[in-house]
Amino acid sequence: MSKDIRVIAEIAGGHMGKLDRCIQLVRAAGEAGADIVKFQFYNAVELVAPTHPDFNLFLELQFAPAQWTEIFAVARSFKMQVYADVFGRLSFQEANLHGVDGFKLHSADTDNQSLLRLIAETGKPLLLGVGGHKRIEIYETLKYYRSFAPMGDVTLMPGHQLFPTSLAEHSLAEIRWLADAYREFGVTVGCADHVDGDDPAAQLFPIAAIGAGAVIIEKHLTINRT
């Protein structure tokens, strides 16, 4: 891929907590030529209460430190960078301990100042989810972040929460607008579409997004779409 455009292979929870499946997904990402592979670092206790029905699910999706070491080694063998979605101090500390190259902050944590500061102080790139936020909220978040990381690499990631998301819900104009509206903060903009993989637009929309100014393309992947 062009040195100015990077492709992220988003693993998310697609590994289902199985180490062998996760490694298979990482290899698939590497063989496809992804620049970055991204994981969600789950820690059940900072996501839901122990009484929540999804608590055990998040426990199953967690990997032990030795397993992460093995996963990272496979990613590095393909010369991919590794990014991490973090949801609190515990997942941040674990991801940072393993030497991730960058972080993703979900739009639900855009105003989480303590987590923003932790990430800013690492000096590592940040993918900032901005889906569902008001303009002033994004502005205040960037203003706060820049107070700790004046020169840090920040990419705004518009969000699409449905799987799949119809093409009509994706917007090239939004990408152009975000790049212009927050230019003073020196940010770039990415594209994380959720177009159905069977739709030709799943390939066409990200290409058009690059034309609209996106510098990062994020795609979820799986071994078997059934």
Side-chain angles (χ1 to χ4, degrees):
M1 200 68 192
S2 164
K3 66 178 181 179
D4 298 319
I5 306 296
R6 292 171 291 166
V7 173
I8 298 178
E10 171 62 80
I11 305 296
H15 50 72
M16 301 187 296
K18 303 181 189 306
L19 178 62
D20 57 344
R21 180 177 172 84
C22 187
I23 289 176
Q24 188 179 9
L25 285 163
V26 174
R27 289 188 181 280
E31 291 167 359
D35 303 292
I36 301 167
V37 61
K38 186 160 74 65
F39 305 97
Q40 293 182 352
F41 269 66
Y42 298 107
N43 192 302
V45 298
E46 64 184 10
L47 288 170
V48 294
T51 54
H52 193 280
D54 288 337
F55 184 78
N56 288 333
L57 170 63
F58 287 121
L59 281 178
E60 293 173 3
L61 292 172
Q62 293 179 198
F63 284 125
Q67 292 175 309
W68 278 125
T69 297
E70 188 173 348
I71 293 165
F72 273 54
V74 175
R76 300 302 189 196
S77 73
F78 286 96
K79 303 189 185 307
M80 289 188 292
Q81 290 191 318
V82 180
Y83 277 38
D85 287 69
V86 293
F87 305 94
R89 181 178 292 271
L90 294 175
S91 53
F92 163 81
Q93 291 174 337
E94 183 178 21
N96 203 38
L97 182 64
H98 283 281
V100 295
D101 301 291
F103 294 93
K104 167 73 179 291
L105 198 57
H106 191 274
S107 58
D109 280 310
T110 297
D111 58 355
N112 186 334
Q113 292 191 347
S114 61
L115 194 51
L116 280 165
R117 181 168 181 173
L118 285 172
I119 294 171
E121 290 175 344
T122 68
K124 295 178 179 180
L126 169 65
L127 306 177
L128 182 65
V130 295
H133 280 278
K134 296 179 179 179
R135 299 174 182 181
I136 187 61
E137 292 172 332
I138 300 172
Y139 180 89
E140 292 296 335
T141 292
L142 290 173
K143 182 179 178 181
Y144 180 81
Y145 190 82
R146 283 298 186 219
S147 70
F148 297 101
M151 303 301 292
D153 181 359
V154 179
T155 301
L156 304 182
M157 301 295 288
H160 309 285
Q161 301 306 312
L162 299 177
F163 295 87
T165 303
S166 69
L167 182 60
E169 296 297 323
H170 292 78
S171 172
L172 295 175
E174 181 182 27
I175 294 171
R176 289 191 293 266
W177 185 87
L178 286 168
D180 183 64
Y182 303 103
R183 192 180 304 276
E184 65 181 280
F185 294 106
V187 300
T188 55
V189 181
C191 170
D193 77 275
H194 290 160
V195 177
D196 192 316
D198 288 330
D199 189 330
Q203 296 182 44
L204 298 176
F205 183 81
I207 294 172
I210 292 171
V215 300
I216 286 181
I217 302 299
E218 179 184 301
K219 280 288 191 180
H220 284 258
L221 75 158
T222 185
I223 301 302
N224 188 329
R225 296 192 68 237
T226 61

